[in-house]
Amino acid sequence: MAHIEFVDQTLRDGQQSLWGMRMKAGMALPVTPLIDRVGYRVVDLTGSSMFEVLIKYCDEYPWDGLDLLTASMPNSRIRAGMRSNACVTFAITPDALMDLWVRSLCRHGISSFWIYDVLFNIDKMHRLARVAKDEAGAEVAAAINFSNSPVHTDAYYGEKARLLAASPDVDTLLIYDTAGCLLPERVPGLVRSIKANANGKPIELHSHNVAGLSSWAYLEAVKEGVTILHTASHPLANGPSMPSTQIMRHNTRLLGHTDSLDDRLMAEVEAHLTKVAKTAGLPIGVPNEFDLSAYHHQIPGGMTGTFKNQLAQHGMPEKLDAVLEETGRVRRELGYPGMMTPFSQLVGTLAVLNVVLGERYRVIPDEVIKYACGHYGQPVAPIDPEVLNRIEDAPRYREIRDDPPAQPSLDELRQEYGAHLSDEELLLQILVPPHEIAKARAAGPVERAYPVLDSGTAQFANELMRGSGAAYLSLETGDFAFSARRGGGKDAA
């Protein structure tokens, strides 16, 4: 029997999948000291896209919030994640800025990183791993992004594992299944191939429970020697998120395995986050029904909502099934890119355009051209010749082809954006519109608490807002005052 370790995804991918990264620091701070003592191997906390969302939509300055959160978990190894070649944007971020991003995160309490690249630019992944090690001796998990296609074979993944594990700066290999399309029957061959090439390094597993089978896949992986599982606490588990920590702990213990998690502390964290969800009107994760089409289009769970919104804007809500079908077809024609940022968005956007416009590849976004030109890296398989011809005939093809991503030095970037800027401010000024940063700063200090309503009051407030055309609601219960703005935030005192 094995000792199972858990990577807590509640504060990062759980809330990213279910709450669209809208978790403010004050929502988590009441329980982060508890999370710190639960017994997790790693607590995954942040990423560059979360910084962007906090600035643009939550009016919160992210560096300050990060400092509060990491300080509240002094006993935990705190993790951040990143693409090897981009922060925030779907475009390419200069290497010098990526290195600065890692160094800056280390100074703010990050001591573990997971690094991914859907097209496996191994050299870039290794470089960032080396920066993390040199800066803070940080742990590094190199991600192997799982995808189903004729070219994504067990041997293919075994070779990627061999290349990634060759770096002394890589500590673990992370099987990362963002679309939840890793079937239990595929697990043994996949894990054995990766394990045989891992140079003795531990293997982690992260799978979104989109089709409801990830818990089973986890148990199959444990049988093959995987001992590090990524889970999230209720209410930020299941659906487009990961399996819950609670059920995976229950299941692994039934099989005779051990762990170091504290039940009581986990229950307190769950209770607080449930209250936050109900007060803020945010969804609570529930298991999905099994849907075979998920293995065809392989889109991350959260993207389905995006598709629905886009189609509703065009007055075509009934076209969702057609878009999902088109997504699988576009992915095949583009050479089977893994369905993870930026390619899940790239493929999905093109599928929506093809359906809405009624003509396939009538409009080709710049990002698709960049992909075809190799700006993101080498495609996994050749692009369909007819589709490639359409891309090459696009008006902007030659302009984009002849203008590969620039690689300015850090000194050049400072000259352009301001030599007086701190590293942290330089990163934000380059990646986020300055007026958004100014707005977040003007909102004042990061709030350290998010007062929650009891379940009955929260339900009453939400029903009032749904049943009223008013833009503003004010509610007082004893010494508790609550206000809410439609489309805005909530305040309580």
Side-chain angles (χ1 to χ4, degrees), residues 51 60 67 86 116 176 181 264 297 365 390 393 412 431 465:
F51 270 49
E60 184 166 287
D67 286 342
Y116 79 96
Y176 205 97
C181 60
R264 181 185 61 81
H297 55 70
R390 294 291 299 269
D393 288 338
E412 290 170 331
L431 299 170
M465 289 299 285

Side-chain angles (χ1 to χ4, degrees), residues 99-120:
D99 294 350
L100 183 65
W101 172 237
V102 173
R103 293 198 298 269
S104 298
L105 286 171
C106 288
R107 288 197 302 272
H108 287 265
I110 300 301
S111 56
S112 177
F113 291 86
W114 72 278
I115 304 169
Y116 79 96
D117 191 310
V118 181
L119 297 184
F120 290 100

Side-chain angles (χ1 to χ4, degrees), residues 83-216:
R83 279 171 57 199
S84 77
N85 54 9
C87 279
V88 177
T89 176
F90 290 159
I92 302 299
T93 300
D95 291 349
L97 209 62
M98 292 301 303
D99 294 350
L100 183 65
W101 172 237
V102 173
R103 293 198 298 269
S104 298
L105 286 171
C106 288
R107 288 197 302 272
H108 287 265
I110 300 301
S111 56
S112 177
F113 291 86
W114 72 278
I115 304 169
Y116 79 96
D117 191 310
V118 181
L119 297 184
F120 290 100
N121 290 289
I122 304 290
D123 56 335
K124 290 183 179 290
M125 296 176 72
H126 281 174
R127 192 196 74 254
L128 288 176
R130 185 167 59 252
V131 173
K133 274 288 188 291
D134 291 346
E135 185 66 27
E139 175 197 61
V140 176
I144 298 174
N145 300 105
F146 178 77
S147 186
N148 273 317
S149 83
V151 295
H152 289 96
T153 63
D154 293 345
Y156 171 89
Y157 285 119
E159 174 61 11
K160 299 306 179 186
R162 183 187 69 80
L163 294 172
L164 289 170
S167 169
D169 301 312
V170 170
D171 299 291
T172 67
L173 298 180
L174 167 58
I175 302 172
Y176 205 97
D177 174 27
T178 188
C181 60
L182 176 58
L183 284 167
E185 64 196 45
R186 175 74 187 274
V187 170
L190 175 70
V191 173
R192 290 170 192 171
S193 182
I194 291 173
K195 194 174 181 180
N197 291 278
N199 197 24
K201 298 180 179 182
I203 299 172
E204 306 181 28
L205 178 56
H206 179 119
S207 179
H208 289 244
N209 210 15
V210 177
L213 295 182
S214 294
S215 298
W216 185 5

Side-chain angles (χ1 to χ4, degrees), residues 99-401:
D99 294 350
L100 183 65
W101 172 237
V102 173
R103 293 198 298 269
S104 298
L105 286 171
C106 288
R107 288 197 302 272
H108 287 265
I110 300 301
S111 56
S112 177
F113 291 86
W114 72 278
I115 304 169
Y116 79 96
D117 191 310
V118 181
L119 297 184
F120 290 100
N121 290 289
I122 304 290
D123 56 335
K124 290 183 179 290
M125 296 176 72
H126 281 174
R127 192 196 74 254
L128 288 176
R130 185 167 59 252
V131 173
K133 274 288 188 291
D134 291 346
E135 185 66 27
E139 175 197 61
V140 176
I144 298 174
N145 300 105
F146 178 77
S147 186
N148 273 317
S149 83
V151 295
H152 289 96
T153 63
D154 293 345
Y156 171 89
Y157 285 119
E159 174 61 11
K160 299 306 179 186
R162 183 187 69 80
L163 294 172
L164 289 170
S167 169
D169 301 312
V170 170
D171 299 291
T172 67
L173 298 180
L174 167 58
I175 302 172
Y176 205 97
D177 174 27
T178 188
C181 60
L182 176 58
L183 284 167
E185 64 196 45
R186 175 74 187 274
V187 170
L190 175 70
V191 173
R192 290 170 192 171
S193 182
I194 291 173
K195 194 174 181 180
N197 291 278
N199 197 24
K201 298 180 179 182
I203 299 172
E204 306 181 28
L205 178 56
H206 179 119
S207 179
H208 289 244
N209 210 15
V210 177
L213 295 182
S214 294
S215 298
W216 185 5
Y218 277 22
L219 295 178
E220 292 298 316
V222 169
K223 291 179 184 178
E224 299 298 329
V226 173
T227 58
I228 306 172
L229 304 178
H230 288 220
T231 57
S233 173
H234 294 303
L236 288 163
N238 291 312
S241 181
M242 283 65 53
S244 73
T245 308
Q246 290 87 342
I247 194 61
M248 288 315 307
R249 185 191 193 222
H250 170 76
N251 288 336
T252 53
R253 283 194 167 189
L254 283 177
L255 294 177
H257 304 295
T258 60
D259 60 73
S260 300
L261 303 185
D262 186 314
D263 282 325
R264 181 185 61 81
L265 295 176
M266 290 168 59
E268 291 185 46
V269 172
E270 176 183 349
H272 170 77
L273 292 174
T274 299
K275 290 179 181 178
V276 169
K278 291 181 177 178
T279 300
L282 294 167
I284 291 175
V286 295
N288 286 336
E289 291 186 305
F290 178 77
D291 183 351
L292 189 60
S293 69
Y295 297 90
H296 170 67
H297 55 70
Q298 297 184 46
I299 66 168
M303 276 188 63
T304 302
T306 302
F307 283 162
K308 290 179 180 177
N309 291 336
Q310 290 173 333
L311 292 171
Q313 291 171 5
H314 291 282
M316 299 179 176
E318 75 284 356
K319 296 289 188 180
L320 179 60
D321 287 344
V323 167
L324 295 179
E325 178 69 25
E326 180 67 6
T327 298
R329 184 179 178 187
V330 168
R331 177 174 177 263
R332 181 177 67 252
E333 292 169 342
L334 290 183
Y336 297 104
M339 293 298 279
M340 192 171 179
T341 301
F343 302 113
S344 53
Q345 293 87 348
L346 182 152
V347 171
T349 298
L350 195 47
V352 171
L353 288 171
N354 288 352
V355 170
V356 168
L357 298 177
E359 179 184 341
R360 305 188 74 241
Y361 299 103
R362 175 180 166 188
V363 173
I364 299 175
D366 287 356
E367 288 74 19
V368 175
I369 300 174
K370 292 175 184 177
Y371 166 75
C373 292
H375 291 183
Y376 292 106
Q378 184 64 37
V380 177
I383 297 173
D384 179 273
E386 292 186 10
V387 172
L388 184 58
N389 287 338
R390 294 291 299 269
I391 294 172
E392 291 176 344
D393 288 338
R396 283 179 45 79
Y397 175 78
R398 292 190 178 185
E399 178 185 349
I400 292 173
R401 180 196 63 188

Side-chain angles (χ1 to χ4, degrees), residues 35-51:
I35 293 173
D36 188 45
R37 307 199 318 270
V38 166
Y40 294 113
R41 184 181 193 276
V42 174
V43 176
D44 200 352
L45 183 60
T46 194
S48 65
S49 294
M50 291 174 66
F51 270 49

Side-chain angles (χ1 to χ4, degrees), residues 439-479:
K439 181 165 65 77
R441 281 194 173 281
V446 173
E447 295 181 0
R448 297 170 180 254
Y450 185 82
V452 294
L453 302 173
D454 63 77
S455 59
T457 306
Q459 181 179 354
F460 178 60
N462 285 326
E463 288 176 355
L464 278 177
M465 289 299 285
R466 283 196 297 267
S468 169
Y472 180 82
L473 169 69
S474 179
L475 178 67
E476 292 187 13
T477 59
D479 60 354

